[in-house]
Structures are given as C-alpha cells and as structure tokens.
Amino acid sequence: QQPVQSPQAVILREGEDAVINCSSSKALYSVHWYRQKHGEAPVFLMILLKGGEQKGHEKISASFNEKKQQSSLYLTASQLSYSGTYFCGTEIGNTGKLIFGQGTTLQVKP
Amino acid sequence: EAQVTQNPRYLITVTGKKLTVTCSQNMNHEYMSWYRQDPGLGLRQIYYSMNVEVTDKGDVPEGYKVSRKEKRNFPLILESPSPNQTSLYFCASSPWDRGPYGYTFGSGTRLTVV
C-alpha cells in the first residue's frame, strides 16, 4: 500500500518553515525521507525506526508516530537549496523493501 | 567513490526491441532494487534482490525481468518494450543486512519507447 503524503505542493519564502506528512495504512518498521531535485536522483535524508531511533544528516528533523503510522518531516528556516520533491518511503517489517509516497514538491522563493 | 552506476542515461528504442539497462554498485551492498518514476505516481518498485540469486517482484513487475548473478550487478531487462514502459528508471542499493540504512540511488535512465 502506497503511503499518502500531504500536502502535494508547498511554496515558501526563504526563512519560513514547512511540515510534510506521510501516512500509511500498514504497521511500519521504518520510515525513510528523500529529496529529489529536478533531473537528479533521490538523495537520502533521514530514517526513523520503530522504537524512536533516528539516523540522518543535514539540518532537517522528523518524527514517527508508530501508533498512527505517520511521519512528519520538519524543514525550519528554509533555504533556496531546500527546493525539490520530497518522498517518504515506508518499510513494512525489516525487509529492506521500501514503498514510496507520491511526493511533495517544495519551492522556496527568495 | 561509493556509487551506483546506471547505463545508459538516455535511451530511445522501438516497440519490441529487447533492451537491457545495467546497474552496478561498488559498496558491497546486499540489497538492490529497480524503480520507475512517472509524474504524479512517485517511485514504484519493479523488482528487488536481497542477495545473489535471490530476486522478487515489486509492485509493477509486468514486462520486466532481472537477474542477480553477481553481488555488484543487477541488470533490468525489457524483453519486448512497449510505449507504456516509457519512464525514468532508477536503480538503488542498500546494506540492509547490516541494519537500517538509506538507499543510494543511481543517476537514472530515461527510457523512451516509440
């Protein structure tokens, strides 16, 4: 089951904050977040595990609500470089198999 | 440099002409996978492989074949391409057996079937 992301698109000014949500109908083992710039490959941002452990990099944070099977990505004080499409990927069980959401397009304007 | 290498980057072919898109990783990753990306649909998994000689279908496997004879290589084969397979394809790998880690994606192959 493909996870559902919201919103589909966001337009921000530099310095503003954004939240991107990812929701699944299945119990999740982990949630991944990726960013893809136009014409490029998706790049790994962060992984959140059942039990609360997080692994990631860059100045981006996220949360994982295991009871609701939801994850949120928090982009604070956005920069122009944050523009792109953000995908969540959900893993059901420790299988390594990721199912991606449809993506959220973020545009940061000067 | 640790990377996933896909070839070719761009390919235009005719309906029915067999083709292979290659994928190779130099990170000794156990897990490899193929995705296709279409506007509004996100990344959909075609096939994945947990290890050498172990492959399984993803969500959209029809019309595709894969093989995993070596750990580093995971080619995607289209035996008889059709126009609905026109898409952007990504190969990805991860060391999932060593714990939860993110995927590393290749640069993508843009395929057009006419």
mmCIF file of all heavy atoms in Angstrom, chain A residues 2 29 32 34 36 39-44 47 49 55 87 94-103, chain B residues 9 31 35 37 40-45 48 50 57-59 88 90 94 96 100-103 105-107:
data_model
loop_
_atom_site.group_PDB
_atom_site.id
_atom_site.type_symbol
_atom_site.label_atom_id
_atom_site.label_comp_id
_atom_site.label_asym_id
_atom_site.label_seq_id
_atom_site.Cartn_x
_atom_site.Cartn_y
_atom_site.Cartn_z
ATOM 1 N N GLN A 2 0.670 2.063 -0.999
ATOM 2 C CA GLN A 2 1.468 3.276 -1.124
ATOM 3 C C GLN A 2 1.104 4.257 -0.014
ATOM 4 O O GLN A 2 -0.070 4.547 0.212
ATOM 5 C CB GLN A 2 1.235 3.924 -2.488
ATOM 6 C CG GLN A 2 2.148 5.103 -2.779
ATOM 7 C CD GLN A 2 1.921 5.694 -4.159
ATOM 8 O OE1 GLN A 2 0.803 5.711 -4.657
ATOM 9 N NE2 GLN A 2 2.987 6.185 -4.786
ATOM 10 N N TYR A 29 7.857 -0.597 10.053
ATOM 11 C CA TYR A 29 9.113 -0.850 10.746
ATOM 12 C C TYR A 29 9.993 0.391 10.707
ATOM 13 O O TYR A 29 10.673 0.710 11.673
ATOM 14 C CB TYR A 29 9.839 -2.030 10.096
ATOM 15 C CG TYR A 29 11.207 -2.287 10.661
ATOM 16 C CD1 TYR A 29 11.355 -2.924 11.892
ATOM 17 C CD2 TYR A 29 12.359 -1.891 9.980
ATOM 18 C CE1 TYR A 29 12.610 -3.154 12.418
ATOM 19 C CE2 TYR A 29 13.614 -2.124 10.505
ATOM 20 C CZ TYR A 29 13.731 -2.754 11.719
ATOM 21 O OH TYR A 29 14.969 -2.976 12.248
ATOM 22 N N HIS A 32 11.590 6.274 5.734
ATOM 23 C CA HIS A 32 12.720 7.000 5.137
ATOM 24 C C HIS A 32 12.209 8.294 4.532
ATOM 25 O O HIS A 32 11.069 8.363 4.056
ATOM 26 C CB HIS A 32 13.348 6.201 3.997
ATOM 27 C CG HIS A 32 13.998 4.916 4.391
ATOM 28 N ND1 HIS A 32 15.145 4.456 3.771
ATOM 29 C CD2 HIS A 32 13.675 3.979 5.318
ATOM 30 C CE1 HIS A 32 15.493 3.309 4.291
ATOM 31 N NE2 HIS A 32 14.618 2.984 5.235
ATOM 32 N N TYR A 34 13.508 11.215 1.540
ATOM 33 C CA TYR A 34 14.447 11.518 0.460
ATOM 34 C C TYR A 34 14.058 12.844 -0.183
ATOM 35 O O TYR A 34 12.886 13.226 -0.183
ATOM 36 C CB TYR A 34 14.422 10.426 -0.621
ATOM 37 C CG TYR A 34 14.943 9.089 -0.150
ATOM 38 C CD1 TYR A 34 14.143 8.257 0.625
ATOM 39 C CD2 TYR A 34 16.232 8.669 -0.458
ATOM 40 C CE1 TYR A 34 14.616 7.039 1.083
ATOM 41 C CE2 TYR A 34 16.716 7.449 -0.008
ATOM 42 C CZ TYR A 34 15.901 6.653 0.766
ATOM 43 O OH TYR A 34 16.374 5.445 1.220
ATOM 44 N N GLN A 36 14.560 14.943 -3.892
ATOM 45 C CA GLN A 36 14.972 14.825 -5.293
ATOM 46 C C GLN A 36 14.883 16.193 -5.965
ATOM 47 O O GLN A 36 13.822 16.814 -5.996
ATOM 48 C CB GLN A 36 14.077 13.825 -6.033
ATOM 49 C CG GLN A 36 14.488 13.591 -7.475
ATOM 50 C CD GLN A 36 13.574 12.604 -8.178
ATOM 51 O OE1 GLN A 36 12.386 12.504 -7.879
ATOM 52 N NE2 GLN A 36 14.120 11.851 -9.125
ATOM 53 N N GLY A 39 15.632 16.514 -12.296
ATOM 54 C CA GLY A 39 16.618 15.886 -13.180
ATOM 55 C C GLY A 39 17.689 15.085 -12.468
ATOM 56 O O GLY A 39 18.628 14.597 -13.115
ATOM 57 N N GLU A 40 17.559 14.945 -11.154
ATOM 58 C CA GLU A 40 18.578 14.222 -10.398
ATOM 59 C C GLU A 40 17.968 13.014 -9.685
ATOM 60 O O GLU A 40 16.759 12.818 -9.675
ATOM 61 C CB GLU A 40 19.236 15.150 -9.377
ATOM 62 C CG GLU A 40 19.931 16.341 -10.019
ATOM 63 C CD GLU A 40 20.580 17.240 -8.980
ATOM 64 O OE1 GLU A 40 20.618 16.878 -7.787
ATOM 65 O OE2 GLU A 40 21.057 18.321 -9.375
ATOM 66 N N ALA A 41 18.833 12.215 -9.090
ATOM 67 C CA ALA A 41 18.382 11.053 -8.334
ATOM 68 C C ALA A 41 17.926 11.473 -6.938
ATOM 69 O O ALA A 41 18.395 12.485 -6.399
ATOM 70 C CB ALA A 41 19.520 10.044 -8.213
ATOM 71 N N PRO A 42 17.026 10.715 -6.327
ATOM 72 C CA PRO A 42 16.664 10.983 -4.936
ATOM 73 C C PRO A 42 17.880 10.821 -4.028
ATOM 74 O O PRO A 42 18.722 9.941 -4.254
ATOM 75 C CB PRO A 42 15.618 9.905 -4.629
ATOM 76 C CG PRO A 42 15.089 9.488 -5.952
ATOM 77 C CD PRO A 42 16.238 9.606 -6.906
ATOM 78 N N VAL A 43 17.945 11.665 -3.006
ATOM 79 C CA VAL A 43 19.049 11.618 -2.051
ATOM 80 C C VAL A 43 18.495 11.358 -0.666
ATOM 81 O O VAL A 43 17.543 12.019 -0.232
ATOM 82 C CB VAL A 43 19.840 12.944 -2.081
ATOM 83 C CG1 VAL A 43 20.890 12.960 -0.973
ATOM 84 C CG2 VAL A 43 20.502 13.151 -3.434
ATOM 85 N N PHE A 44 19.095 10.421 0.027
ATOM 86 C CA PHE A 44 18.665 10.048 1.367
ATOM 87 C C PHE A 44 18.853 11.199 2.346
ATOM 88 O O PHE A 44 19.904 11.840 2.384
ATOM 89 C CB PHE A 44 19.470 8.832 1.833
ATOM 90 C CG PHE A 44 19.269 8.456 3.266
ATOM 91 C CD1 PHE A 44 18.082 7.890 3.678
ATOM 92 C CD2 PHE A 44 20.269 8.663 4.198
ATOM 93 C CE1 PHE A 44 17.899 7.523 5.002
ATOM 94 C CE2 PHE A 44 20.093 8.304 5.526
ATOM 95 C CZ PHE A 44 18.905 7.731 5.928
ATOM 96 N N ILE A 47 16.277 8.429 8.269
ATOM 97 C CA ILE A 47 15.499 7.221 8.519
ATOM 98 C C ILE A 47 15.020 7.252 9.957
ATOM 99 O O ILE A 47 15.762 7.649 10.861
ATOM 100 C CB ILE A 47 16.327 5.949 8.227
ATOM 101 C CG1 ILE A 47 15.489 4.699 8.424
ATOM 102 C CG2 ILE A 47 17.560 5.888 9.107
ATOM 103 C CD1 ILE A 47 16.198 3.429 7.958
ATOM 104 N N LEU A 49 13.106 4.835 12.873
ATOM 105 C CA LEU A 49 12.839 3.435 13.146
ATOM 106 C C LEU A 49 11.760 3.282 14.203
ATOM 107 O O LEU A 49 11.599 4.127 15.082
ATOM 108 C CB LEU A 49 14.106 2.745 13.640
ATOM 109 C CG LEU A 49 15.323 2.871 12.737
ATOM 110 C CD1 LEU A 49 16.526 2.223 13.392
ATOM 111 C CD2 LEU A 49 15.054 2.229 11.397
ATOM 112 N N LYS A 55 18.238 8.113 12.239
ATOM 113 C CA LYS A 55 19.548 8.211 11.612
ATOM 114 C C LYS A 55 19.411 9.155 10.437
ATOM 115 O O LYS A 55 18.538 8.973 9.602
ATOM 116 C CB LYS A 55 20.027 6.845 11.108
ATOM 117 C CG LYS A 55 20.311 5.825 12.186
ATOM 118 C CD LYS A 55 20.881 4.557 11.572
ATOM 119 C CE LYS A 55 21.152 3.518 12.626
ATOM 120 N NZ LYS A 55 21.741 2.294 12.039
ATOM 121 N N PHE A 87 10.139 12.738 -0.853
ATOM 122 C CA PHE A 87 9.443 11.453 -0.832
ATOM 123 C C PHE A 87 9.629 10.778 0.519
ATOM 124 O O PHE A 87 10.748 10.764 1.058
ATOM 125 C CB PHE A 87 10.001 10.502 -1.899
ATOM 126 C CG PHE A 87 9.726 10.916 -3.311
ATOM 127 C CD1 PHE A 87 10.680 11.619 -4.045
ATOM 128 C CD2 PHE A 87 8.526 10.596 -3.920
ATOM 129 C CE1 PHE A 87 10.440 11.989 -5.348
ATOM 130 C CE2 PHE A 87 8.281 10.966 -5.227
ATOM 131 C CZ PHE A 87 9.243 11.671 -5.942
ATOM 132 N N ASN A 94 11.190 -5.710 8.764
ATOM 133 C CA ASN A 94 12.608 -5.472 8.490
ATOM 134 C C ASN A 94 13.023 -6.241 7.240
ATOM 135 O O ASN A 94 13.745 -7.235 7.295
ATOM 136 C CB ASN A 94 13.439 -5.913 9.691
ATOM 137 C CG ASN A 94 14.908 -5.592 9.510
ATOM 138 O OD1 ASN A 94 15.279 -4.808 8.630
ATOM 139 N ND2 ASN A 94 15.748 -6.193 10.325
ATOM 140 N N THR A 95 12.558 -5.744 6.083
ATOM 141 C CA THR A 95 12.780 -6.444 4.818
ATOM 142 C C THR A 95 13.685 -5.675 3.874
ATOM 143 O O THR A 95 14.144 -6.219 2.886
ATOM 144 C CB THR A 95 11.448 -6.677 4.084
ATOM 145 O OG1 THR A 95 10.863 -5.405 3.799
ATOM 146 C CG2 THR A 95 10.494 -7.509 4.939
ATOM 147 N N GLY A 96 13.898 -4.396 4.138
ATOM 148 C CA GLY A 96 14.646 -3.549 3.213
ATOM 149 C C GLY A 96 13.808 -3.049 2.054
ATOM 150 O O GLY A 96 14.258 -2.218 1.263
ATOM 151 N N LYS A 97 12.587 -3.540 1.909
ATOM 152 C CA LYS A 97 11.720 -3.173 0.782
ATOM 153 C C LYS A 97 10.978 -1.878 1.113
ATOM 154 O O LYS A 97 10.201 -1.831 2.059
ATOM 155 C CB LYS A 97 10.730 -4.295 0.522
ATOM 156 C CG LYS A 97 9.716 -4.014 -0.572
ATOM 157 C CD LYS A 97 8.846 -5.246 -0.777
ATOM 158 C CE LYS A 97 7.549 -4.942 -1.478
ATOM 159 N NZ LYS A 97 7.692 -4.426 -2.816
ATOM 160 N N LEU A 98 11.223 -0.851 0.309
ATOM 161 C CA LEU A 98 10.599 0.441 0.522
ATOM 162 C C LEU A 98 9.498 0.691 -0.490
ATOM 163 O O LEU A 98 9.675 0.442 -1.682
ATOM 164 C CB LEU A 98 11.618 1.568 0.381
ATOM 165 C CG LEU A 98 12.539 1.890 1.547
ATOM 166 C CD1 LEU A 98 13.299 3.168 1.241
ATOM 167 C CD2 LEU A 98 11.774 2.019 2.840
ATOM 168 N N ILE A 99 8.378 1.214 0.016
ATOM 169 C CA ILE A 99 7.304 1.684 -0.851
ATOM 170 C C ILE A 99 7.232 3.192 -0.661
ATOM 171 O O ILE A 99 7.115 3.673 0.473
ATOM 172 C CB ILE A 99 5.961 1.039 -0.480
ATOM 173 C CG1 ILE A 99 6.073 -0.480 -0.603
ATOM 174 C CG2 ILE A 99 4.853 1.558 -1.386
ATOM 175 C CD1 ILE A 99 4.855 -1.218 -0.106
ATOM 176 N N PHE A 100 7.304 3.926 -1.773
ATOM 177 C CA PHE A 100 7.375 5.372 -1.707
ATOM 178 C C PHE A 100 6.015 6.037 -1.891
ATOM 179 O O PHE A 100 5.154 5.533 -2.615
ATOM 180 C CB PHE A 100 8.332 5.912 -2.777
ATOM 181 C CG PHE A 100 9.782 5.650 -2.463
ATOM 182 C CD1 PHE A 100 10.409 4.498 -2.904
ATOM 183 C CD2 PHE A 100 10.516 6.557 -1.715
ATOM 184 C CE1 PHE A 100 11.739 4.250 -2.609
ATOM 185 C CE2 PHE A 100 11.846 6.324 -1.414
ATOM 186 C CZ PHE A 100 12.453 5.165 -1.857
ATOM 187 N N GLY A 101 5.860 7.191 -1.236
ATOM 188 C CA GLY A 101 4.700 8.021 -1.470
ATOM 189 C C GLY A 101 4.812 8.740 -2.801
ATOM 190 O O GLY A 101 5.829 8.625 -3.504
ATOM 191 N N GLN A 102 3.793 9.506 -3.123
ATOM 192 C CA GLN A 102 3.746 10.130 -4.444
ATOM 193 C C GLN A 102 4.585 11.404 -4.531
ATOM 194 O O GLN A 102 4.792 11.946 -5.604
ATOM 195 C CB GLN A 102 2.288 10.437 -4.833
ATOM 196 C CG GLN A 102 1.696 11.679 -4.189
ATOM 197 C CD GLN A 102 1.180 11.457 -2.778
ATOM 198 O OE1 GLN A 102 1.582 10.524 -2.081
ATOM 199 N NE2 GLN A 102 0.284 12.321 -2.346
ATOM 200 N N GLY A 103 5.071 11.878 -3.392
ATOM 201 C CA GLY A 103 5.968 13.029 -3.389
ATOM 202 C C GLY A 103 5.283 14.335 -3.030
ATOM 203 O O GLY A 103 4.086 14.520 -3.274
ATOM 204 N N ARG B 9 22.215 6.546 -19.719
ATOM 205 C CA ARG B 9 21.442 7.617 -19.085
ATOM 206 C C ARG B 9 20.179 7.922 -19.882
ATOM 207 O O ARG B 9 19.145 8.249 -19.323
ATOM 208 C CB ARG B 9 22.292 8.886 -18.986
ATOM 209 C CG ARG B 9 23.408 8.845 -17.956
ATOM 210 C CD ARG B 9 22.845 8.791 -16.518
ATOM 211 N NE ARG B 9 21.887 9.850 -16.234
ATOM 212 C CZ ARG B 9 22.214 11.071 -15.828
ATOM 213 N NH1 ARG B 9 23.474 11.408 -15.686
ATOM 214 N NH2 ARG B 9 21.267 11.951 -15.571
ATOM 215 N N TYR B 31 21.388 -5.527 -0.804
ATOM 216 C CA TYR B 31 20.060 -5.260 -1.342
ATOM 217 C C TYR B 31 20.162 -4.332 -2.543
ATOM 218 O O TYR B 31 20.835 -3.300 -2.492
ATOM 219 C CB TYR B 31 19.210 -4.608 -0.250
ATOM 220 C CG TYR B 31 17.787 -4.321 -0.636
ATOM 221 C CD1 TYR B 31 16.783 -5.238 -0.363
ATOM 222 C CD2 TYR B 31 17.440 -3.128 -1.259
ATOM 223 C CE1 TYR B 31 15.463 -4.981 -0.702
ATOM 224 C CE2 TYR B 31 16.135 -2.862 -1.602
ATOM 225 C CZ TYR B 31 15.149 -3.787 -1.321
ATOM 226 O OH TYR B 31 13.854 -3.537 -1.661
ATOM 227 N N TYR B 35 13.324 0.890 -9.604
ATOM 228 C CA TYR B 35 12.109 1.677 -9.512
ATOM 229 C C TYR B 35 11.877 2.375 -10.848
ATOM 230 O O TYR B 35 12.808 2.699 -11.566
ATOM 231 C CB TYR B 35 12.229 2.751 -8.433
ATOM 232 C CG TYR B 35 12.201 2.220 -7.019
ATOM 233 C CD1 TYR B 35 13.368 1.790 -6.395
ATOM 234 C CD2 TYR B 35 11.004 2.138 -6.309
ATOM 235 C CE1 TYR B 35 13.342 1.301 -5.105
ATOM 236 C CE2 TYR B 35 10.972 1.654 -5.011
ATOM 237 C CZ TYR B 35 12.134 1.235 -4.414
ATOM 238 O OH TYR B 35 12.106 0.751 -3.141
ATOM 239 N N GLN B 37 9.811 5.883 -12.250
ATOM 240 C CA GLN B 37 9.211 7.119 -11.765
ATOM 241 C C GLN B 37 8.404 7.760 -12.882
ATOM 242 O O GLN B 37 8.937 8.057 -13.959
ATOM 243 C CB GLN B 37 10.288 8.091 -11.265
ATOM 244 C CG GLN B 37 9.719 9.342 -10.638
ATOM 245 C CD GLN B 37 10.782 10.228 -10.020
ATOM 246 O OE1 GLN B 37 11.917 10.271 -10.462
ATOM 247 N NE2 GLN B 37 10.422 10.928 -8.965
ATOM 248 N N GLY B 40 3.402 12.261 -10.957
ATOM 249 C CA GLY B 40 2.227 12.087 -10.112
ATOM 250 C C GLY B 40 2.118 10.742 -9.435
ATOM 251 O O GLY B 40 1.255 10.544 -8.566
ATOM 252 N N LEU B 41 2.993 9.808 -9.802
ATOM 253 C CA LEU B 41 2.895 8.450 -9.231
ATOM 254 C C LEU B 41 4.045 8.136 -8.284
ATOM 255 O O LEU B 41 4.063 7.071 -7.658
ATOM 256 C CB LEU B 41 2.842 7.415 -10.349
ATOM 257 C CG LEU B 41 1.637 7.500 -11.278
ATOM 258 C CD1 LEU B 41 1.729 6.452 -12.378
ATOM 259 C CD2 LEU B 41 0.336 7.325 -10.492
ATOM 260 N N GLY B 42 5.019 8.993 -8.217
ATOM 261 C CA GLY B 42 6.140 8.730 -7.326
ATOM 262 C C GLY B 42 7.032 7.628 -7.863
ATOM 263 O O GLY B 42 7.085 7.362 -9.066
ATOM 264 N N LEU B 43 7.710 6.947 -6.961
ATOM 265 C CA LEU B 43 8.627 5.863 -7.315
ATOM 266 C C LEU B 43 7.924 4.540 -7.048
ATOM 267 O O LEU B 43 7.525 4.257 -5.921
ATOM 268 C CB LEU B 43 9.894 5.958 -6.456
ATOM 269 C CG LEU B 43 10.772 7.156 -6.735
ATOM 270 C CD1 LEU B 43 11.511 7.575 -5.482
ATOM 271 C CD2 LEU B 43 11.767 6.844 -7.842
ATOM 272 N N ARG B 44 7.810 3.731 -8.076
ATOM 273 C CA ARG B 44 7.164 2.433 -7.928
ATOM 274 C C ARG B 44 8.181 1.319 -8.155
ATOM 275 O O ARG B 44 8.923 1.331 -9.133
ATOM 276 C CB ARG B 44 5.988 2.313 -8.902
ATOM 277 C CG ARG B 44 4.839 3.279 -8.607
ATOM 278 C CD ARG B 44 3.705 3.084 -9.589
ATOM 279 N NE ARG B 44 4.093 3.470 -10.943
ATOM 280 C CZ ARG B 44 3.409 3.167 -12.035
ATOM 281 N NH1 ARG B 44 2.294 2.457 -11.927
ATOM 282 N NH2 ARG B 44 3.821 3.567 -13.215
ATOM 283 N N GLN B 45 8.164 0.355 -7.256
ATOM 284 C CA GLN B 45 9.175 -0.692 -7.297
ATOM 285 C C GLN B 45 8.848 -1.741 -8.351
ATOM 286 O O GLN B 45 7.720 -2.240 -8.427
ATOM 287 C CB GLN B 45 9.305 -1.354 -5.932
ATOM 288 C CG GLN B 45 10.514 -2.258 -5.827
ATOM 289 C CD GLN B 45 10.686 -2.797 -4.424
ATOM 290 O OE1 GLN B 45 9.745 -3.316 -3.825
ATOM 291 N NE2 GLN B 45 11.891 -2.666 -3.878
ATOM 292 N N TYR B 48 13.203 -6.397 -6.805
ATOM 293 C CA TYR B 48 14.270 -6.186 -5.848
ATOM 294 C C TYR B 48 15.009 -7.493 -5.604
ATOM 295 O O TYR B 48 14.518 -8.576 -5.948
ATOM 296 C CB TYR B 48 13.740 -5.597 -4.536
ATOM 297 C CG TYR B 48 12.781 -6.467 -3.768
ATOM 298 C CD1 TYR B 48 13.209 -7.226 -2.680
ATOM 299 C CD2 TYR B 48 11.432 -6.514 -4.107
ATOM 300 C CE1 TYR B 48 12.330 -8.010 -1.968
ATOM 301 C CE2 TYR B 48 10.545 -7.294 -3.401
ATOM 302 C CZ TYR B 48 10.985 -8.037 -2.331
ATOM 303 O OH TYR B 48 10.110 -8.823 -1.629
ATOM 304 N N MET B 50 17.488 -9.413 -2.565
ATOM 305 C CA MET B 50 18.050 -9.397 -1.223
ATOM 306 C C MET B 50 19.493 -9.909 -1.218
ATOM 307 O O MET B 50 20.238 -9.669 -0.266
ATOM 308 C CB MET B 50 17.211 -10.267 -0.293
ATOM 309 C CG MET B 50 15.724 -9.943 -0.317
ATOM 310 S SD MET B 50 15.374 -8.329 0.391
ATOM 311 C CE MET B 50 14.982 -8.810 2.047
ATOM 312 N N LYS B 57 9.420 -9.920 -6.975
ATOM 313 C CA LYS B 57 8.656 -8.887 -7.653
ATOM 314 C C LYS B 57 8.333 -7.742 -6.712
ATOM 315 O O LYS B 57 8.062 -7.944 -5.528
ATOM 316 C CB LYS B 57 7.342 -9.477 -8.188
ATOM 317 C CG LYS B 57 7.536 -10.541 -9.246
ATOM 318 C CD LYS B 57 6.189 -11.116 -9.671
ATOM 319 C CE LYS B 57 6.379 -12.194 -10.716
ATOM 320 N NZ LYS B 57 5.091 -12.809 -11.111
ATOM 321 N N GLY B 58 8.336 -6.544 -7.282
ATOM 322 C CA GLY B 58 7.847 -5.383 -6.578
ATOM 323 C C GLY B 58 6.388 -5.154 -6.921
ATOM 324 O O GLY B 58 5.627 -6.107 -7.130
ATOM 325 N N ASP B 59 6.002 -3.898 -7.043
ATOM 326 C CA ASP B 59 4.599 -3.581 -7.278
ATOM 327 C C ASP B 59 4.207 -3.545 -8.749
ATOM 328 O O ASP B 59 3.048 -3.709 -9.094
ATOM 329 C CB ASP B 59 4.284 -2.216 -6.644
ATOM 330 C CG ASP B 59 4.509 -2.230 -5.143
ATOM 331 O OD1 ASP B 59 4.063 -3.209 -4.499
ATOM 332 O OD2 ASP B 59 5.128 -1.292 -4.614
ATOM 333 N N LEU B 88 11.200 7.090 -16.347
ATOM 334 C CA LEU B 88 12.508 7.330 -15.758
ATOM 335 C C LEU B 88 12.774 6.193 -14.771
ATOM 336 O O LEU B 88 11.966 5.961 -13.863
ATOM 337 C CB LEU B 88 12.528 8.683 -15.056
ATOM 338 C CG LEU B 88 13.816 9.088 -14.338
ATOM 339 C CD1 LEU B 88 14.994 9.119 -15.305
ATOM 340 C CD2 LEU B 88 13.633 10.451 -13.674
ATOM 341 N N PHE B 90 15.205 4.137 -11.985
ATOM 342 C CA PHE B 90 16.279 4.271 -11.007
ATOM 343 C C PHE B 90 16.624 2.914 -10.415
ATOM 344 O O PHE B 90 15.734 2.139 -10.056
ATOM 345 C CB PHE B 90 15.873 5.200 -9.861
ATOM 346 C CG PHE B 90 15.845 6.654 -10.231
ATOM 347 C CD1 PHE B 90 14.650 7.298 -10.456
ATOM 348 C CD2 PHE B 90 17.034 7.373 -10.331
ATOM 349 C CE1 PHE B 90 14.615 8.643 -10.795
ATOM 350 C CE2 PHE B 90 17.014 8.713 -10.672
ATOM 351 C CZ PHE B 90 15.804 9.342 -10.912
ATOM 352 N N SER B 94 21.238 -0.823 -0.923
ATOM 353 C CA SER B 94 21.407 -0.523 0.491
ATOM 354 C C SER B 94 22.013 -1.722 1.208
ATOM 355 O O SER B 94 21.848 -2.864 0.774
ATOM 356 C CB SER B 94 20.076 -0.148 1.147
ATOM 357 O OG SER B 94 19.387 -1.287 1.608
ATOM 358 N N TRP B 96 21.116 -3.369 3.770
ATOM 359 C CA TRP B 96 20.036 -3.605 4.733
ATOM 360 C C TRP B 96 20.385 -4.700 5.733
ATOM 361 O O TRP B 96 19.901 -4.690 6.862
ATOM 362 C CB TRP B 96 18.743 -3.972 4.003
ATOM 363 C CG TRP B 96 18.670 -5.417 3.617
ATOM 364 C CD1 TRP B 96 19.208 -5.984 2.505
ATOM 365 C CD2 TRP B 96 18.071 -6.482 4.358
ATOM 366 N NE1 TRP B 96 18.981 -7.329 2.511
ATOM 367 C CE2 TRP B 96 18.286 -7.674 3.619
ATOM 368 C CE3 TRP B 96 17.385 -6.548 5.574
ATOM 369 C CZ2 TRP B 96 17.833 -8.912 4.056
ATOM 370 C CZ3 TRP B 96 16.923 -7.796 6.009
ATOM 371 C CH2 TRP B 96 17.154 -8.954 5.254
ATOM 372 N N PRO B 100 19.339 -0.866 9.481
ATOM 373 C CA PRO B 100 18.554 0.044 8.646
ATOM 374 C C PRO B 100 19.392 1.222 8.153
ATOM 375 O O PRO B 100 19.877 2.024 8.948
ATOM 376 C CB PRO B 100 17.446 0.509 9.573
ATOM 377 C CG PRO B 100 17.990 0.330 10.938
ATOM 378 C CD PRO B 100 18.984 -0.783 10.896
ATOM 379 N N TYR B 101 19.571 1.304 6.849
ATOM 380 C CA TYR B 101 20.280 2.402 6.222
ATOM 381 C C TYR B 101 19.489 2.886 5.019
ATOM 382 O O TYR B 101 18.655 2.186 4.485
ATOM 383 C CB TYR B 101 21.676 1.954 5.752
ATOM 384 C CG TYR B 101 22.638 1.690 6.877
ATOM 385 C CD1 TYR B 101 22.804 0.414 7.385
ATOM 386 C CD2 TYR B 101 23.392 2.719 7.433
ATOM 387 C CE1 TYR B 101 23.673 0.163 8.422
ATOM 388 C CE2 TYR B 101 24.283 2.474 8.461
ATOM 389 C CZ TYR B 101 24.415 1.194 8.960
ATOM 390 O OH TYR B 101 25.285 0.945 9.973
ATOM 391 N N GLY B 102 19.794 4.106 4.621
ATOM 392 C CA GLY B 102 19.109 4.650 3.464
ATOM 393 C C GLY B 102 19.578 4.017 2.172
ATOM 394 O O GLY B 102 20.610 3.356 2.115
ATOM 395 N N TYR B 103 18.793 4.216 1.145
ATOM 396 C CA TYR B 103 19.141 3.757 -0.188
ATOM 397 C C TYR B 103 20.110 4.736 -0.845
ATOM 398 O O TYR B 103 20.012 5.941 -0.642
ATOM 399 C CB TYR B 103 17.910 3.707 -1.089
ATOM 400 C CG TYR B 103 16.977 2.550 -0.901
ATOM 401 C CD1 TYR B 103 17.028 1.711 0.197
ATOM 402 C CD2 TYR B 103 15.999 2.289 -1.859
ATOM 403 C CE1 TYR B 103 16.145 0.655 0.336
ATOM 404 C CE2 TYR B 103 15.114 1.239 -1.733
ATOM 405 C CZ TYR B 103 15.194 0.432 -0.628
ATOM 406 O OH TYR B 103 14.309 -0.610 -0.503
ATOM 407 N N PHE B 105 20.868 5.854 -4.665
ATOM 408 C CA PHE B 105 20.272 5.730 -5.992
ATOM 409 C C PHE B 105 21.297 6.009 -7.078
ATOM 410 O O PHE B 105 22.218 6.818 -6.904
ATOM 411 C CB PHE B 105 19.124 6.739 -6.152
ATOM 412 C CG PHE B 105 17.855 6.334 -5.491
ATOM 413 C CD1 PHE B 105 17.635 6.611 -4.150
ATOM 414 C CD2 PHE B 105 16.860 5.674 -6.197
ATOM 415 C CE1 PHE B 105 16.456 6.238 -3.528
ATOM 416 C CE2 PHE B 105 15.675 5.295 -5.590
ATOM 417 C CZ PHE B 105 15.470 5.583 -4.250
ATOM 418 N N GLY B 106 21.100 5.346 -8.219
ATOM 419 C CA GLY B 106 21.855 5.689 -9.405
ATOM 420 C C GLY B 106 21.306 6.969 -10.016
ATOM 421 O O GLY B 106 20.305 7.523 -9.542
ATOM 422 N N SER B 107 21.948 7.447 -11.071
ATOM 423 C CA SER B 107 21.592 8.733 -11.680
ATOM 424 C C SER B 107 20.348 8.675 -12.548
ATOM 425 O O SER B 107 19.847 9.711 -12.975
ATOM 426 C CB SER B 107 22.755 9.251 -12.529
ATOM 427 O OG SER B 107 23.892 9.460 -11.729
#
